[in-house]
Amino acid sequence: MTRDAHEARSRTGRRSGDSGSKVAILAAARLQFAEYGYDGTTIRGIAAAAGVDPALVHHFYGTKERLFAAATELPIVPSEAINAALASREPGRSLGTHLAYSALALWERADMRGAFQAMLRSALTSEQAAATLRDFIAEAILGPVASAAAGADAGNAAYRASLVATQMLGLAVGRYVLRFGPVAQASKEELAVAIGPAIDRYLTGDLGQAGRGH
Amino acid sequence: MTRDAHEARSRTGRRSGDSGSKVAILAAARLQFAEYGYDGTTIRGIAAAAGVDPALVHHFYGTKERLFAAATELPIVPSEAINAALASREPGRSLGTHLAYSALALWERADMRGAFQAMLRSALTSEQAAATLRDFIAEAILGPVASAAAGADAGNAAYRASLVATQMLGLAVGRYVLRFGPVAQASKEELAVAIGPAIDRYLTGDLGQAGRGH
DNA sequence: GGATTAATTCAACATACGTAGAATTCACCG
DNA sequence: CGGTGAATTCTACGTATGTTGAATTAATCC
């Protein structure tokens, strides 16, 4: 009927070729969850960033929670990565320093950074995300700790691990979330040698005479 | 007109006596900001907890941002508290240990805990709150660091301070926000002696040969 | 090439939120 | 004891959110 313009350009319907929308949505979700946390991220915002209708997000990923789960799914198995890292330690470098460096390197891998930051930022508002982070930390840190402190102070392994976790966590929050100056700008190597010894002490050192020995 | 029940109980209007609503609202706000962060907290939720109409919250505190500012206003001046803490150090106790203990004690003061946790949890979703936290940390930590490392390594004061901040921050997040086991249950004294030496090292120790001297 | 399936958008619903304005009741000052 | 101001609630507006269902178009299979 030549209504309006003579080329009606149907807006709806499937597009020609491979649009890559599903991947684009997941990428946008990673970015936004990392930047704004779970609550601060909106499906509409993700859809807009991916150049797509909000309903399509639903079509692919169902609910927002499932999208979050997909976005924070790590491309590696933490314990394997840690073990691989431990195996590659150069002689002359302490365990703590190596651990700190490996963690920093891991966090900055392009395919990890988004998922990791999303998890970190969301853990602080969503109890569900917090539980996931707790498990992740337990898996990632308790292993090395147990192997390092085995025999020496096995009864305190969990305590030692949690101390290591505070330092690593503080580093991550300070560097990536709060981004305060020097720590955000320093190189991985610089931070590793600065923090490593503290971690070594948590792993195997003397934790004070407060009488926590079993 | 004896419509319905014979006692119409005007719901609106001022109540008799001192209701304490204003204080109740602020207390509820502190609790909820601490528990859910800025975005996760709703004015309606605060009003419900305070047993009050949402509009009353507005009447007293204006906008949500102003309520947040009121709720996170610390009852002390950080730098003064730190200075007071520094002055009370017993001989035989390291600066780092004393600092860690003082911070823990400060965080657990009833009148601080709410405001502090609200700030901490909100800083991770709201950039505005993050900026406030950065300033707070700078004020609270840079002072002691500067005085401790004065002369010895003055050029690196900011770097050293930020390292201290990562450890303190990680401790706070692990203990109060994520609440993972051992660190959440340990006593202040226990944590102080465990973490103190690490902080001492950040303050005045050797940070590695990565060549950051000016 | 017709039927089926997947991709895509539109329009809409049901909630929830922050906020504003008007109305009502009490306290207090003269 | 009359009037001014503060406290309190009700109703409502505008907007944003997660989610759903129907409609439309392209790809794919037989």
Side-chain angles (χ1 to χ4, degrees):
Chain A
M1 282 172 165
T2 66
R3 214 196 212 288
D4 220 333
H6 58 285
E7 198 179 1
R9 279 298 176 178
S10 60
R11 265 174 280 287
T12 168
R14 185 173 188 160
R15 301 298 127 90
S16 303
D18 182 14
S19 66
S21 294
K22 195 170 179 181
V23 178
I25 289 171
L26 194 64
R30 284 224 178 82
L31 280 181
Q32 303 219 2
F33 281 128
E35 190 71 15
Y36 309 119
Y38 183 83
D39 294 314
T41 297
T42 77
I43 296 227
R44 285 169 152 88
I46 292 171
V52 126
D53 189 274
L56 193 60
V57 178
H58 258 89
H59 177 62
F60 284 130
Y61 296 98
T63 161
K64 185 182 181 181
E65 250 180 57
R66 285 223 293 270
L67 211 207
F68 180 73
T72 55
E73 192 177 346
L74 297 181
I76 55 155
V77 181
S79 57
E80 288 178 9
I82 294 282
N83 285 338
L86 289 183
S88 73
R89 172 154 65 114
E90 298 168 4
R93 184 165 246 222
S94 79
L95 216 192
T97 304
H98 188 64
L99 214 57
Y101 186 86
S102 302
L104 284 164
L106 207 58
W107 295 343
E108 287 180 3
R109 263 180 53 182
D111 57 346
M112 289 281 301
R113 185 160 191 165
F116 174 73
Q117 285 195 42
M119 173 105 302
L120 185 55
R121 202 178 280 265
S122 299
L124 304 144
T125 31
S126 153
E127 176 52 37
Q128 176 209 349
T132 309
L133 218 205
R134 267 192 295 264
D135 293 349
F136 171 76
I137 288 177
E139 183 179 356
I141 295 189
L142 209 65
V145 170
S147 77
D153 189 14
N156 274 343
Y159 182 54
R160 289 179 180 276
S162 71
L163 289 173
V164 172
T166 63
Q167 177 59 86
M168 300 290 242
L169 196 58
L171 178 60
V173 172
R175 184 171 167 95
Y176 300 116
V177 179
L178 252 40
R179 297 192 179 91
F180 43 71
V183 163
Q185 286 158 7
S187 71
K188 295 194 288 282
E189 184 60 32
E190 211 167 3
L191 288 172
V193 299
I195 284 178
I199 293 181
D200 285 322
R201 194 174 141 274
Y202 293 149
L203 287 176
T204 56
D206 177 21
L207 295 184
Q209 60 276 40
R212 203 172 218 269
H214 56 293
Chain B
M1 284 174 155
T2 66
R3 217 196 210 286
D4 219 334
H6 57 287
E7 198 178 2
R9 280 299 178 170
S10 62
R11 265 175 280 288
T12 168
R14 185 172 188 161
R15 299 299 125 88
S16 302
D18 182 15
S19 65
S21 293
K22 193 169 180 181
V23 177
I25 289 171
L26 194 64
R30 284 224 178 83
L31 281 181
Q32 303 219 3
F33 281 128
E35 191 71 14
Y36 308 120
Y38 184 82
D39 295 314
T41 298
T42 76
I43 296 225
R44 284 168 152 90
I46 292 171
V52 125
D53 189 275
L56 194 59
V57 179
H58 255 90
H59 178 62
F60 284 131
Y61 296 97
T63 161
K64 184 182 182 182
E65 250 181 56
R66 284 223 294 269
L67 212 207
F68 179 73
T72 54
E73 190 176 346
L74 298 181
I76 56 154
V77 180
S79 57
E80 287 180 8
I82 295 283
N83 284 337
L86 289 183
S88 73
R89 172 153 67 114
E90 299 167 3
R93 186 163 244 224
S94 80
L95 216 191
T97 305
H98 187 63
L99 215 56
Y101 185 86
S102 302
L104 285 164
L106 206 59
W107 294 343
E108 287 179 4
R109 264 179 52 181
D111 57 346
M112 290 281 300
R113 186 159 190 165
F116 175 73
Q117 285 195 44
M119 174 105 300
L120 185 55
R121 204 178 278 265
S122 300
L124 304 143
T125 33
S126 152
E127 176 51 37
Q128 176 208 348
T132 308
L133 219 204
R134 268 192 295 265
D135 292 349
F136 170 77
I137 288 178
E139 183 179 357
I141 295 188
L142 209 64
V145 171
S147 77
D153 189 14
N156 273 345
Y159 183 53
R160 289 179 180 276
S162 71
L163 289 173
V164 173
T166 64
Q167 177 59 88
M168 300 289 243
L169 196 57
L171 178 60
V173 172
R175 184 172 167 95
Y176 300 116
V177 178
L178 252 40
R179 296 192 181 93
F180 42 70
V183 162
Q185 285 157 10
S187 71
K188 294 194 289 281
E189 184 60 31
E190 211 167 4
L191 289 171
V193 300
I195 285 178
I199 293 182
D200 284 323
R201 193 174 141 275
Y202 292 149
L203 286 176
T204 56
D206 178 21
L207 295 185
Q209 59 277 41
R212 202 173 219 271
H214 58 293

